[in-house]
């Protein structure tokens, strides 16, 4: 019999780190197969204290998450189309079913959230409304219309969407799909659409309505084009892609278990919603829309079903605090605007008796929904207002993040805790939104690059050996400190040892010790992305960067629907300025299937593009289809081979054209992060 809320302490006994002439590395006992060290006593104490800070005896979320279960696949494993696995729920079977008995290596609040996100299957939310949860990072909702189904947010990947859709058909019966709603422009809410379309008849596809917020197509296809390689590399950290699924590894993302790294797709909308208050009847189902673009996503709507009195909050609200700045990298979101949209939803849909969202589990009861919306609204408003207040008093982002805490009235519920976003990095996002990266301290105006300053720091402190000896003493002492002092010591050691690693990237002792510090910070984190960042950092210090990044071919179908001009914008940011210095060229690319021509102009180590006529003169001209051009971009087809094939037509010097394309960088998406 489990004891509710009890934390299983796993202290680290007798850490012995010997640095003798730097001949041997630190020797940490109790490491798992990935090398992650055991939690220290102070880490166990810090996590134990969390049990006194939250109402863990409140089981309402577990009741709601299980309510209406129709069917569940206990062996839910989904294969990738090209081999391997996209999804594996049994991998998370180590998490306690009730979210109790948290190991010392997991914050018990995050452990609870991970247990809730383990609850998966097909659920009835209310009459005529169903959800499939736990098949991907997001949910797919099913609304019964007069003659068929209306699907909401068909997941991230073709593989997961297909599996979820067929599971729903198996238990609800086979019905035609009349419409698909994309609530917003993030790929976990539309990328699996091809997994639905592949099961539809020609007639269904011909008459299918695809409803999305205005601006969806541009935002959905553009977000990862310009900064895609950096974002996807950082996403590997944020979502713990390389981590084992166990008590010292990845337990979930807070928002769900994790994104499905499968085959991404796209479908162009047939209906765009541009104004709040828009009413549509879809297969006999009345819907009232609220446009909330600029909150969690640049193109997003929520909607209300008057007949069911059900409010779909999309990702305007979730059962956790969300990100004002997402750690994978993105434009900062406007907390004030976000809060105002939640307030608008609260007042506009006062009769809602059911809430369901793009993530997590539903909520029932008007009063419960109103309270939920009020706390979510006030959380973002509080972070915004108090950050700005402190900012206007001269506080820096780090100072604000350190002192800002939610008031008790906003810190009693689990649904706005920092499982995904945090008060700390959201406060920094508000500062960045208004003032950017510079704190006005001249010391930060033109600092040395990290590696250069690290070398000077280490030299000033007497060299790496001396720094490591002191860091080792502090690390061992931290185990016996109280929770707060121990946590701050680990934070300081992370900063200190990072200098050593950046000064001496081949210093294995420094990397091992820093990795063990990251372990402790990861184990204590309530935020799943923080945990995954720390533990992935530790993993890469021990094992190195990945051999390959995320494959560009995963995005092929999305790229096929991306505005062509964006391709050339992405080429411009890949131009190697040093190779292009002194060069000038004009290249014309004509898409034979689109009947469009673009002129690329290289001058001053800058590449410009513009739509042009087919007879515009250029140094070289390529004529090809957009799909073939996409294959060139993702590396599926090689330029040299194509230039001597019949698949494209060409005018001008082939060598000059090859020389032009050789000036473009080919980012692999596997650059170093925790070492220089």
């Amino acid at each position: 019999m489990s004891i509710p809320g009890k934390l299983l302490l796993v202290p680290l006994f007798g850490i012995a780190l010997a640095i003798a002439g730097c001949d041997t590395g630190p020797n940490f006992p109790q490491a798992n197969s990935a090398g992650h060290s055991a939690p220290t006593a102070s880490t166990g104490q810090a996590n134990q204290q969390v049990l006194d800070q939250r109402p863990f005896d409140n089981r309402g979320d577990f009741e709601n998450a299980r309510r209406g279960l129709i069917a569940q696949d206990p062996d839910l494993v989904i294969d990738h189309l090209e081999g391997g696995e996209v999804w594996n729920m049994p991998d998370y079977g180590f998490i306690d079913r009730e979210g109790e008995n948290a190991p010392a290596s997991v914050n018990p609040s995050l452990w609870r959230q991970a247990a809730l996100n383990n609850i998966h299957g097909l659920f009835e939310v209310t009459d005529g409304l169903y959800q499939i949860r736990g098949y991907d990072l997001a949910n797919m909702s099913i609304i019964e219309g007069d003659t068929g189904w209306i699907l909401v947010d068909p997941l991230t990947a073709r593989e997961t969407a297909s599996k979820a859709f067929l599971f729903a058909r198996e238990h609800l019966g086979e019905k035609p799909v009349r419409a698909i709603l994309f609530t917003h422009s993030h790929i976990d809410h539309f990328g699996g659409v091809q997994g639905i379309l592949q099961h539809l008849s020609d007639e269904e596809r011909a008459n299918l309505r695809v409803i999305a917020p205005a601006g969806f197509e541009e935002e959905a296809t553009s977000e990862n084009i310009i900064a895609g390689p950096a974002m996807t590399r950082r996403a590997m950290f944020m979502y713990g892609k390389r981590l084992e699924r166990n008590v010292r590894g990845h337990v979930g993302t807070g928002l769900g278990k994790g994104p499905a790294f499968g085959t991404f797709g796209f479908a162009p909308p047939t209906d765009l919603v541009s104004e709040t208050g828009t009413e549509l009847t879809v297969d006999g189902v009345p819907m009232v829309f609220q446009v909330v673009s600029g909150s969690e996503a640049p193109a997003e709507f929520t909607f209300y079903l008057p007949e069911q009195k059900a409010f779909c909050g999309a990702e305007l609200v979730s059962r956790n605090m969300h990100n004002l700045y997402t750690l994978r990298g993105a434009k900062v979101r406007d907390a004030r605007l976000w809060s105002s949209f939640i307030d608008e939803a609260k007042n506009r849909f006062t009769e809602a008796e059911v809430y369901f969202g793009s993530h997590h589990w539903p909520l029932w009861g008007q009063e419960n929904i109103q309270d939920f919306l009020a706390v979510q609204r006030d959380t973002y408003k509080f972070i915004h207002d108090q950050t700005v207040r402190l900012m206007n008093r001269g506080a820096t982002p780090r100072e604000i993040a350190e002192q800002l805490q939610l008031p008790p009235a906003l810190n009693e519920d689990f649904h706005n805790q920092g499982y995904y976003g945090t008060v700390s990095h959201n406060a920094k996002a508000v500062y960045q939104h208004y003032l950017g990266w510079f704190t006005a301290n001249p010391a930060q105006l033109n600092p040395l690059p990290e590696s250069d300053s690290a070398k000077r720091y280490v030299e000033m402190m007497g060299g790496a050996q001396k720094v490591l000896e002191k860091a080792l003493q502090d690390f061992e002492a931290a185990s016996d400190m109280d929770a707060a002092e121990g946590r701050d010591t680990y934070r300081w050691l992370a900063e200190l040892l990072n200098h050593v690693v950046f000064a001496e990237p081949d210093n294995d002792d420094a990397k091992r010790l820093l990795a063990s510090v990251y372990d402790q910070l990861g184990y204590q984190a309530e935020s799943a992305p923080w945990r995954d960042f720390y533990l992935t950092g530790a993993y890469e210090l021990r094992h190195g960067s990945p051999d390959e990044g995320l494959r560009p071919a995963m995005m092929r179908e999305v790229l096929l629907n991306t505005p062509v001009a964006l391709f050339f914008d992405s080429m411009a940011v890949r131009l190697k300025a040093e190779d292009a210095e002194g060069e000038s060229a004009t290249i014309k690319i004509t898409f034979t299937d689109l009947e469009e021509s673009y002129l690329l102009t290289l001058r001053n180590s800058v590449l410009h593009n513009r739509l042009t006529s087919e007879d515009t003169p250029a140094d070289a001209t390529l004529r090809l289809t957009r799909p073939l051009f996409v294959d060139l971009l993702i590396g599926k087809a090689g330029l040299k081979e194509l230039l001597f094939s019949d698949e494209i037509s060409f005018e001008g010097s082939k060598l000059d054209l090859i020389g032009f394309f050789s000036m473009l960088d080919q980012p692999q998406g596997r650059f170093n992060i925790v070492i220089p």
Side-chain angles (χ1 to χ4, degrees):
M1 179 177 179
S2 62
I3 302 173
K6 183 179 179 182
L7 185 69
L8 298 182
L9 294 178
V10 186
L12 179 62
F13 293 107
I15 289 182
L17 246 132
I19 301 179
C22 287
D23 293 328
T24 60
N27 177 27
F28 286 98
Q30 302 184 26
N32 67 6
S33 60
H36 292 296
S37 56
T40 64
S42 63
T43 288
Q45 182 184 0
N47 285 338
Q48 181 72 40
Q49 289 181 358
V50 174
L51 294 172
D52 300 325
Q53 300 168 1
R54 302 275 187 272
F56 282 89
D57 56 345
N58 185 336
R59 309 303 295 168
D61 282 336
F62 285 90
E63 294 170 5
N64 287 337
R66 294 187 173 113
R67 178 171 170 174
L69 178 64
I70 294 172
Q72 185 180 78
D73 181 358
D75 302 313
L76 179 57
V77 178
I78 304 174
D79 294 329
H80 196 289
L81 290 176
E82 297 181 3
E85 291 179 357
V86 172
W87 195 255
N88 190 320
M89 280 301 294
D91 274 357
Y92 297 99
F94 65 91
I95 297 171
D96 184 277
R97 186 175 184 273
E98 301 299 327
E100 301 169 345
N101 302 315
S105 56
V106 185
N107 183 296
S109 183
L110 178 59
W111 182 256
R112 177 186 183 277
Q113 184 80 348
L116 285 161
N117 283 326
N118 268 17
I119 300 171
H120 65 282
L122 173 65
F123 300 82
E124 182 180 32
V125 178
T126 190
D127 289 343
L129 175 60
Y130 306 89
Q131 276 195 320
I132 299 178
R133 303 199 290 272
Y135 277 66
D136 206 318
L137 180 63
N139 304 328
M140 181 164 67
S141 301
I142 302 171
I143 303 167
E144 286 186 343
D146 287 350
T147 66
W149 283 349
I150 304 160
L151 304 183
V152 183
D153 289 351
L155 309 184
T156 309
R158 176 194 286 261
E159 295 88 343
T160 54
S162 173
K163 186 83 167 183
F165 181 68
L166 293 178
F167 189 73
R169 276 188 167 182
E170 177 185 351
H171 295 281
L172 298 179
E174 187 168 331
K175 293 187 177 182
V177 176
R178 300 306 186 194
I180 296 176
L181 273 64
F182 298 142
T183 60
H184 56 295
S185 53
H186 292 153
I187 200 167
D188 53 320
H189 304 276
F190 69 83
V193 66
Q194 296 298 326
I196 306 299
L197 298 181
Q198 72 183 55
H199 298 297
L200 306 188
S201 66
D202 291 342
E203 180 182 357
E204 284 178 90
R205 287 195 295 269
N207 296 301
L208 184 70
R209 295 179 71 178
V210 179
I211 303 169
F216 169 84
E217 193 161 5
E218 179 182 354
E219 297 294 346
T221 58
S222 68
E223 182 183 39
N224 293 315
I225 298 299
I226 298 295
M231 284 185 177
T232 54
R233 173 71 174 113
R234 291 161 60 118
M236 295 176 72
F237 270 66
M238 180 171 174
Y239 296 117
K241 188 176 187 299
R242 303 184 72 196
L243 298 177
E244 294 178 348
R245 274 53 177 153
N246 58 40
V247 297
R248 295 190 196 171
H250 177 78
V251 300
T253 68
L255 200 63
K257 302 316 298 180
F261 292 100
T263 307
F264 307 138
F266 186 84
T270 61
D271 300 68
L272 292 174
V273 176
S274 58
E275 293 183 4
T276 294
T278 297
E279 298 183 12
L280 296 177
T281 299
V282 184
D283 194 29
V285 178
M287 297 182 175
V288 182
F289 291 86
Q290 177 200 19
V291 176
V292 296
S293 299
S295 57
E296 192 273 338
E300 184 164 2
F301 61 49
T302 72
F303 63 90
Y304 180 66
L305 304 174
E307 293 182 349
Q308 290 94 341
K309 292 189 175 181
F311 168 57
C312 176
E315 212 162 334
L316 179 69
V317 286
S318 303
R319 303 296 294 181
N320 57 215
M321 184 191 304
H322 217 299
N323 289 306
L324 297 178
Y325 164 75
T326 182
L327 301 182
R328 65 176 170 81
K331 297 175 183 177
V332 168
R333 298 156 185 173
D334 188 336
R336 188 169 64 94
L337 181 65
W338 196 332
S339 176
S340 71
F341 281 138
I342 300 175
D343 185 60
E344 180 182 61
K346 180 180 183 297
N347 292 312
R348 182 175 285 272
F349 305 124
T350 55
E351 296 183 358
E353 295 179 357
V354 178
Y355 153 79
F356 66 105
S358 296
H359 295 276
H360 304 129
W361 49 95
L363 188 63
W364 290 266
Q366 286 187 16
E367 184 176 349
N368 291 333
I369 295 168
Q370 287 289 302
D371 288 345
F372 165 61
L373 293 175
V375 171
Q376 289 270 311
R377 173 199 64 192
D378 293 346
T379 295
Y380 298 114
K381 189 70 159 56
F382 176 88
I383 293 172
H384 171 273
D385 292 354
Q386 296 307 307
T387 297
V388 173
R389 179 180 70 86
L390 294 171
M391 177 184 82
N392 285 334
R393 293 176 58 185
T396 67
R398 290 170 68 167
E399 290 171 338
I400 296 170
E402 190 69 11
Q403 64 180 288
L404 197 63
Q405 295 182 350
L406 292 178
L410 295 178
N411 205 24
E412 296 173 351
D413 299 307
F414 283 105
H415 68 76
N416 66 326
Q417 299 306 324
Y419 303 125
Y420 199 50
T422 68
V423 173
S424 175
H425 76 256
N426 280 345
K428 294 174 182 176
V430 173
Y431 188 103
Q432 180 182 339
H433 177 77
Y434 287 103
L435 298 181
W437 59 269
F438 183 45
T439 66
N441 185 331
Q444 298 180 7
L445 190 59
N446 190 29
L448 290 168
E450 289 86 348
S451 292
D452 291 346
S453 62
K455 291 173 184 175
R456 293 172 184 257
Y457 271 116
V458 171
E459 181 182 0
M460 184 72 71
M461 290 185 285
Q465 177 66 24
K466 185 167 289 188
V467 176
L468 282 174
E469 289 173 358
K470 183 61 171 71
L472 171 59
Q473 294 172 10
D474 286 357
F475 183 85
E476 291 177 326
S479 179
D480 297 323
M481 295 175 183
D482 63 42
E485 188 179 3
R487 182 186 302 112
D488 287 349
T489 298
Y490 293 134
R491 291 168 67 190
W492 157 243
L493 287 175
E495 184 175 343
L496 177 68
L497 290 167
N498 184 65
H499 282 311
V500 182
V501 170
F502 267 70
E504 298 184 2
D506 295 325
N507 190 321
D508 290 337
D509 290 337
K511 288 191 287 188
R512 289 190 186 104
L513 185 53
L514 178 55
S516 296
V517 170
Y518 283 160
D519 283 342
Q520 304 311 313
L521 291 171
Y523 298 157
Q524 294 184 34
E526 186 175 30
S527 165
W530 281 35
R531 176 185 176 89
D532 283 344
F533 257 92
Y534 282 129
L535 296 184
T536 301
Y539 183 91
E540 294 201 357
L541 285 166
R542 293 176 171 119
H543 303 286
S545 298
D547 293 331
E548 63 177 10
L550 297 178
R551 292 172 293 175
M554 297 165 60
M555 294 290 292
R556 185 176 187 274
E557 289 195 29
V558 177
L559 294 173
L560 287 173
N561 289 275
T562 299
V564 172
L566 285 175
F567 294 152
F568 301 122
D569 290 341
S570 72
M571 290 173 65
V573 301
R574 289 163 48 199
L575 182 69
K576 293 180 283 189
E578 61 277 13
D579 291 354
E581 185 176 352
E583 301 289 340
S584 63
T586 55
I587 307 293
K588 185 174 64 180
I589 298 180
T590 296
F591 295 98
T592 54
D593 52 340
L594 302 179
E595 297 184 347
E596 292 179 356
S597 296
Y598 289 80
L599 185 68
L600 311 184
T601 304
L602 172 63
R603 188 170 290 110
N604 299 324
S605 295
V606 175
L607 183 64
H608 294 279
N609 74 85
R610 63 180 175 88
L611 188 65
T612 191
S613 61
E614 189 174 357
D615 59 0
T616 300
D619 296 333
T621 298
L622 277 177
R623 292 186 179 87
L624 73 173
T625 63
R626 176 160 67 170
L628 188 54
F629 187 70
V630 168
D631 288 343
L632 277 171
L633 289 180
I634 65 176
K636 188 176 179 180
L639 178 64
K640 291 182 180 179
E641 293 78 14
L642 286 175
L643 284 177
F644 297 94
S645 75
D646 297 329
E647 295 187 70
I648 65 174
S649 62
F650 169 80
E651 296 176 5
S653 168
K654 292 182 179 180
L655 291 178
D656 287 347
L657 189 65
I658 292 172
F660 168 76
F661 276 95
S662 71
M663 298 179 197
L664 302 180
D665 204 358
Q666 300 294 330
Q668 300 300 310
R670 53 185 181 87
F671 50 80
N672 292 334
I673 290 179
V674 292
I675 61 173

